[in-house]
Amino acid sequence: MPFDPATLKYDANGLIPAIAQEAETGEVLMMAWMNADAVARTLETGRVTYWSRSRQAFWIKGETSGHVQELVEMRVDCDRDCLLVQVRQSGPACHTNRRSCFYTAVREGEETEIMVPMAGAE
């Protein structure tokens, strides 16, 4: 059956959450938003494209930083309201220069930084 981005369940703003995961290791890198056009662009180009809510514009991951996400596979969850984007990530995924945006753990009621910025990253 052919895939149509219009068949996904988007929120009231026309957005769907997309979780980026490193294809080789399974590491969860980040979460961002896509609209139907961003989904289509990602599938057409192989470069992961998100929708920036703050800029109201497409955001091709790595376009300015060089930390590209190359699409390996896109998966749709059972409710069709969330995407898992398996990628090959070059460099850090987080704008803080960490490999993952999920670098703060809550342990025994305290926030603990569990990941430092990558050396040599911008």
Side-chain angles (χ1 to χ4, degrees), residues 9 76-82:
K9 294 179 184 171
V76 180
D77 82 332
C78 58
D79 294 323
R80 301 187 71 80
D81 63 358
C82 187

Side-chain angles (χ1 to χ4, degrees), residues 1-121:
M1 150 169 54
F3 173 72
D4 180 354
T7 65
L8 298 172
K9 294 179 184 171
Y10 299 91
D11 70 10
N13 297 313
L15 301 174
I16 188 169
I19 300 164
Q21 178 185 45
E22 176 59 53
E24 296 294 318
T25 65
E27 177 184 21
V28 176
L29 300 173
M30 58 178 279
M31 189 290 277
W33 298 94
M34 290 184 171
N35 61 17
D37 288 337
V39 172
R41 287 178 184 213
T42 297
L43 293 170
E44 288 167 14
T45 66
R47 298 271 314 271
V48 181
T49 303
Y50 299 105
W51 179 255
S52 170
R53 295 176 301 165
S54 60
R55 294 190 310 264
Q56 292 291 294
F58 291 107
W59 160 41
I60 301 170
K61 184 68 177 163
E63 192 171 47
T64 56
S65 68
H67 305 142
V68 175
Q69 286 181 349
E70 176 190 344
L71 179 67
V72 174
E73 183 173 80
M74 182 180 289
R75 296 184 182 181
V76 180
D77 82 332
C78 58
D79 294 323
R80 301 187 71 80
D81 63 358
C82 187
L83 300 173
L84 178 65
V85 184
Q86 294 186 318
V87 302
R88 281 189 201 91
Q89 173 73 45
S90 64
C94 184
H95 74 280
T96 66
N97 290 326
R98 288 170 175 84
R99 178 75 181 157
S100 170
C101 293
F102 297 96
Y103 60 86
T104 303
V106 179
R107 296 179 176 166
E108 298 179 10
E110 297 291 324
E111 289 190 23
T112 305
E113 186 176 311
I114 58 172
M115 189 181 306
V116 297
M118 294 176 73

